[in-house]
Amino acid sequence: MPVLPELAAVLAAASARTRPEPPGGGPVLREAARGYWDRRGLHGTVAGIAAAPGAQPLLLALIGAHGGDVLMPRPCPAAWMPQARLLGHPAYHVPTPAECGGIPDPYALLETVRRVRAEGGRPKLLLLSVVDDPTATVALPELVREACEAAVDEGLHIISDETWRDTVHRPRDTVLLSPAEMCPDDVTVLADLSGALLPAAWPVAVARFPDTARAAVRHARTLDILTALGALVAGPVAHAAGHALGEPDSVRDRIQRAAALNTEVAAAAHRAVLGSGALARPPEAGCHLYADLGPLRSRLADLGVTDSMELEEYLTGRLGAPAPGGHRFGDELGALRVRLGTGPLLGATPQHRAESLAAAKPLELAHVARALDDFAAVFADLR
């Protein structure tokens, strides 16, 4: 999306700030993050907030602060498993329910915990995302509750990645329940602001810790790791992030416009994928969808595509845009799954993307219609 002019002005006004924020963020940024979560029913104190230059260093610090083995759903964001491995923490995938991605099936979670302990492991941490990347689904509240209760009963702490919560396509029709609302003492919430509030080139992520003595110790450990990594938020970027977290009218309007645009474009891309005979859950958030081309295996084999690595190479070349295969998200290599971003469908130039964002009927714009036709043609060739 084009940079919001108001945020660009805020960043420019702070360009003379030559010093980075202190480890975990300065008081203004942390207060803005506290207010952001407070407006979403997650109340807490500034002392329970930590910020870092992006979700990856922050999640790395959180995993390092907790210790023990890590569990996560399959599929999951591409960075999760490598970060656990980088720290030397054993990590295990847990299947997701049929209805959505992002959270583990509660029965599969219990079985995985039992198996890991029987093998001498120490499962301590569960990563999940109620609004999921890569599947672009939103977990139903009852499924979230069951998964969280199973995790807490087994002594697991939960890190809830809520980066995409502000990108839900139909917020009035979607009930979004944060695990921190159900298990306030056992959930740390993580949000990468590049999901909805900031451009990806301005890296800031924030975490909200529970208001407990144990969480205060983990917060301190997290800051120690961020310090060791030199993971400090740039001063001008922190100023812009604080402004965005305050959600002035311009930021709220941008979020709503972007969600409305992605709703239409992602739905059109979803129809094209289904028209080829492939499978995909209807996208409910974000700017992507997760497709299963298993039903097209025979046709793909004729084209020399037999696994998700080859599928990634084939579709990236045909679409002219990255199409990461499911193996990057924890799926089996032999499963023909792929994450398809809808951003390239909005236009190749800043002007086209701005027109898409402002249009009342974006699918009728010439550049969007042409991009969707090209996208659909790639999948039609696979029928």
Side-chain angles (χ1 to χ4, degrees), residues 17-334:
R17 297 189 177 191
T18 58
R19 293 185 179 181
E21 295 278 286
V28 175
L29 176 58
R30 290 187 287 117
E31 172 58 30
R34 186 207 62 78
Y36 168 87
W37 274 308
D38 189 72
R39 291 188 294 275
R40 287 154 179 78
L42 302 180
H43 308 298
T45 66
V46 173
I49 303 294
Q56 293 173 343
L58 185 51
L59 180 59
L60 189 76
L62 290 172
I63 295 173
H66 282 81
D69 300 355
V70 184
L71 281 68
M72 59 191 72
R74 169 180 282 146
C76 67
W80 284 8
M81 183 65 77
Q83 285 176 305
R85 288 174 175 165
L86 180 63
L87 289 167
H89 291 253
Y92 304 89
H93 282 295
V94 183
T96 56
E99 296 89 342
C100 63
I103 62 170
D105 178 272
Y107 297 103
L109 175 63
L110 293 173
E111 175 58 24
T112 303
V113 171
R114 183 202 63 78
R115 175 175 56 83
V116 171
R117 286 179 176 152
E119 294 172 354
R122 298 186 308 114
K124 294 291 185 181
L125 194 60
L126 171 65
L127 309 184
L128 53 75
S129 52
V130 176
V131 183
D132 185 40
D133 175 8
T135 65
T137 58
V138 180
L140 295 172
E142 54 267 31
L143 293 175
V144 177
R145 184 177 299 278
E146 291 173 5
C148 290
E149 287 178 349
V152 172
D153 287 346
E154 291 297 328
L156 303 180
H157 186 78
I158 298 168
I159 295 179
S160 175
D161 186 340
E162 300 182 10
T163 293
W164 298 99
R165 68 172 297 153
D166 293 323
T167 71
V168 172
H169 292 174
R170 294 180 174 83
R172 294 183 179 179
D173 302 325
T174 305
V175 179
L176 198 163
L177 186 64
S178 170
E181 296 179 68
M182 295 178 295
C183 309
D185 293 343
D186 298 289
V187 178
T188 298
V189 181
L190 169 70
D192 187 343
L193 302 192
S194 67
L197 295 174
L198 292 178
W202 303 359
V204 183
V206 288
R208 173 195 175 275
F209 289 74
D211 188 16
T212 66
R214 178 178 295 182
V217 173
R218 289 169 175 163
H219 181 274
R221 290 176 182 167
T222 299
L223 297 189
D224 286 343
I225 296 172
L226 291 174
T227 301
L229 293 173
L232 310 177
V233 180
V237 174
H239 190 58
H243 184 81
L245 284 165
E247 298 179 289
D249 290 343
S250 61
V251 171
R252 288 179 179 270
D253 179 69
R254 167 57 66 87
I255 291 172
Q256 292 168 2
R257 285 179 177 271
L261 173 60
N262 285 321
T263 299
E264 294 199 42
V265 175
H270 182 247
R271 290 192 294 270
V273 169
L274 295 186
S276 72
L279 303 174
R281 294 187 181 100
E284 299 173 303
C287 50
H288 55 273
L289 64 151
Y290 198 62
D292 183 353
L293 277 65
L296 309 177
R297 184 176 294 276
S298 177
R299 168 62 176 151
L300 286 166
D302 292 340
L303 297 169
V305 176
T306 60
D307 59 31
S308 63
M309 189 178 299
E310 293 170 343
L311 180 63
E312 174 183 307
E313 182 178 1
Y314 174 80
L315 286 178
T316 296
R318 293 297 306 279
L319 294 171
H327 60 285
R328 298 186 182 276
F329 308 103
D331 265 329
E332 297 294 338
L333 182 63

Side-chain angles (χ1 to χ4, degrees), residues 362-378:
L363 300 188
E364 296 181 4
L365 292 173
H367 65 273
V368 174
R370 184 167 54 251
L372 282 168
D373 286 345
D374 292 344
F375 180 90
V378 171

